[in-house]
Amino acid sequence: MAPSAVLHTAAAPSWVELKEASLTTSTGKRLAAEDALRAVGEGNPHISTKLRLFNGDTEADVRVTLYRDHAAWCPYCQKVWMLFEEKQISYKTERINMRSYGEKPAWFLKKVPSGLLPVIELDGKMLTESLVIMQTLDQSFSGPSMLPEEQYDRANKLLRLERQLFSDWCGLVFRASGGSARRAFEETFDKVDAALGELPGPWFLGGDTPSIVDLQYVSHIERMNASCLYWKGMQLRGTERWANIERWFLAFEQRPSYHATKSDYYTHIMDIPPQYGPGISDSSKEVENAQRVIDGVSSWKLPLHLGAKDLEPLPDSMNHGDEAARHEAAYAIAKNAAAIARFACRGAGQKGAKQFSAPLADPTAVPNLDYESKVDELLRVTVSLLLDGSAAPSSSAPNTNKDAEGKALGKCLGYLRDRVGVPRDMSYPAAMQLRAHLNHIIDGV
């Protein structure tokens, strides 16, 4: 197949040129500087960090290792990870597969026979169960308490309410249910909203910073935002009815600990069923519209206009503009281009001998490297367009007259597009830019 004249693949810059161009952008310079800081345990929190140092600590001072899931899917890992950051406890990180998407290493199973995550190793002792871990860390390290003793009664009441909310969410989303399940969930959500309005400030226990109670809630309500919208057509963000919960989320979205750990709706819709079971869709226009948006059918198109009023809101605190998002995506691809091209070739390859419950996980898949050079070429075009912003608006009539090679290349790029995870690979705005640009290329091959 001759490359499309629209794509100009023959003129695609080399990876050396693209990496250099990426590093000359303000976003590329910032990301490279952050990479350098992370290498020595400093800078902002990030999923790839293996060492975090606070308060003048050195690596020799670190008493604790956090074992969390590799893809940042696990809500229990998220809240523990955030506690480390909020309380500024120096720590090391080991990333471990969840059973839904890969094998757990034998050395980890020797330490933790159950294989459950999260786990911390504190002074040589292994601890499991996220709430126990958070309370132990809070008591074992100096700094302001994240569960003040004078607030124990209120905290315990709120923690029981969180378990009720979780139960009502499961009854609504994962079971065939009628209006009674929706009413039960909404009534409990009302109680949560009311609790957030009882004290000054956005947090459950008042004060200027989140508590263990806030962390206990946030990781699952984040997943409720995505799942209730996708399967039930219920918008939980930006409503007058739950204004205190919205204020609480906006406060979290100002914090680096949440920036680093927050996922997007598409990633959650992919990661929730392997952990909790399949969501049960209602039949409504609201559900149909939400699924078209979250699945990318109507949203992964150029030009993008992401903002705080979207179905999936992008708050101003996390929106640095289209150019910054494009350049972040370009930096991520250029940084690891050869491996990403080979990974994409799985789309035209063979499924792995062992399958896992996560629909997009196939760690032993065999890539078809016959397409590697072409995929590499198309990725160079993609990154070039991300850098200069010159991609034309998405066509309403993409090329459907593809030969066998064109179809195979489309599968390769689609395989990659569908597996861009947030925050594992990049931020939500960058992921949206990459998905939309990949669709632009797919439409043209």
Side-chain angles (χ1 to χ4, degrees):
M1 181 195 75
S4 165
V6 175
L7 298 178
H8 302 294
T9 58
S14 70
W15 284 118
V16 170
E17 293 170 318
L18 290 168
K19 289 175 185 177
E20 289 177 353
S22 175
L23 288 170
T24 65
T25 68
S26 58
T27 297
K29 291 175 182 176
R30 173 180 60 81
L31 293 172
E34 290 176 359
D35 283 346
L37 288 172
R38 279 196 292 274
V40 294
E42 300 176 3
N44 288 327
H46 190 268
I47 188 170
S48 66
T49 301
K50 294 184 177 181
L51 173 69
R52 290 286 283 157
L53 298 174
F54 297 101
N55 306 314
D57 284 348
T58 68
E59 187 171 355
D61 299 316
V62 176
R63 297 168 51 196
V64 59
T65 297
L66 168 63
Y67 299 87
R68 60 173 177 80
D69 77 297
H70 197 275
W73 284 6
C74 172
Y76 305 99
C77 298
Q78 181 183 8
K79 62 187 71 177
V80 172
W81 180 11
M82 289 181 66
L83 183 134
F84 276 102
E85 293 294 330
E86 291 292 339
K87 197 169 173 73
Q88 296 197 339
I89 299 168
S90 296
Y91 65 102
K92 297 179 181 179
T93 297
E94 292 284 353
R95 292 161 67 185
I96 306 295
N97 286 336
M98 296 178 73
R99 287 195 177 94
S100 60
Y101 61 75
E103 301 279 5
K104 292 182 184 290
W107 64 263
F108 177 72
L109 293 174
K110 286 182 180 179
K111 285 177 174 284
V112 187
S114 69
L116 294 176
L117 296 170
V119 179
I120 64 165
E121 187 170 2
L122 174 61
D123 298 329
K125 181 180 179 181
M126 309 299 288
L127 290 176
T128 60
E129 302 296 336
S130 59
L131 187 55
V132 172
I133 290 171
M134 290 193 291
Q135 291 172 318
T136 300
L137 290 172
D138 191 43
Q139 295 164 6
S140 299
F141 290 87
S142 61
S145 173
M146 293 188 69
L147 195 62
E149 188 173 351
E150 65 272 15
Q151 296 269 36
Y152 277 3
D153 287 345
R154 176 174 173 81
N156 282 326
K157 179 182 177 181
L158 289 167
L159 292 173
R160 288 193 294 272
L161 179 61
E162 190 274 336
R163 289 293 82 192
Q164 182 62 52
L165 180 65
F166 178 83
S167 176
D168 290 339
W169 172 57
C170 291
L172 172 66
V173 172
F174 305 111
R175 303 186 188 106
S177 56
S180 60
R182 179 167 180 151
R183 286 192 297 274
F185 174 83
E186 290 179 334
E187 288 170 3
T188 303
F189 215 53
D190 287 340
K191 293 177 183 177
V192 173
D193 187 80
L196 280 167
E198 289 171 352
L199 296 176
W203 310 114
F204 277 107
L205 300 185
D208 297 326
T209 56
S211 67
I212 284 176
V213 174
D214 295 287
L215 301 186
Q216 181 72 1
Y217 273 85
V218 72
S219 61
H220 272 120
I221 296 186
E222 178 185 313
R223 287 151 178 82
M224 293 174 196
N225 290 337
S227 58
C228 289
L229 182 60
Y230 187 86
W231 284 299
K232 301 298 169 181
M234 296 171 60
Q235 177 60 279
L236 306 184
R237 292 295 308 263
T239 69
E240 291 185 13
R241 179 173 181 175
W242 299 307
N244 291 321
I245 293 175
E246 181 65 16
R247 179 182 64 156
W248 176 74
F249 259 113
L250 290 172
F252 262 122
E253 288 164 344
Q254 300 268 356
R255 307 190 72 79
S257 68
Y258 194 56
H259 283 208
T261 64
K262 183 185 180 185
S263 191
D264 73 333
Y265 289 5
Y266 173 77
T267 302
H268 279 322
I269 295 309
M270 294 296 106
D271 72 41
I272 285 172
Q275 299 178 73
Y276 299 97
I280 307 299
S281 288
D282 283 357
S283 179
S284 70
K285 289 183 178 179
E286 291 80 9
V287 168
E288 181 181 349
N289 181 54
Q291 293 186 355
R292 285 179 58 81
V293 171
I294 294 171
D295 288 339
V297 175
S298 63
S299 58
W300 297 352
K301 297 181 177 182
L302 298 174
L304 289 172
H305 300 288
L306 305 178
K309 301 298 183 181
D310 292 353
L311 205 60
E312 177 174 359
L314 175 63
D316 293 342
S317 60
M318 300 178 75
N319 186 357
H320 305 295
D322 285 354
E323 182 178 79
R326 286 190 286 102
H327 290 175
E328 180 189 343
Y331 180 88
I333 299 297
K335 185 179 175 182
N336 199 25
I340 291 171
R342 289 192 296 272
F343 175 83
C345 289
R346 292 179 178 184
Q350 298 177 352
K351 289 186 176 182
K354 181 171 182 178
Q355 294 292 294
F356 295 85
S357 59
L360 299 183
D362 195 4
T364 61
V366 180
N368 187 338
L369 297 181
D370 290 344
Y371 296 102
E372 184 177 10
S373 64
K374 281 289 187 182
V375 169
D376 178 272
E377 190 175 37
L378 294 174
L379 287 177
R380 285 187 281 120
V381 175
T382 303
V383 170
S384 181
L385 294 174
L386 285 164
L387 286 170
D388 66 23
S390 64
S394 296
S395 172
S396 59
N399 177 20
T400 57
N401 187 27
K402 300 177 186 283
D403 60 16
E405 184 181 61
K407 291 177 181 177
L409 290 170
K411 288 181 179 178
C412 291
L413 296 185
Y415 185 94
L416 173 61
R417 176 202 62 205
D418 293 347
R419 287 160 178 79
V420 177
V422 177
R424 181 193 62 195
D425 302 315
M426 58 192 69
S427 70
Y428 165 59
M432 288 293 287
Q433 288 289 347
L434 179 55
R435 293 161 181 160
H437 278 76
L438 287 170
N439 270 345
H440 173 78
I441 301 297
I442 291 168
D443 286 349
V445 295

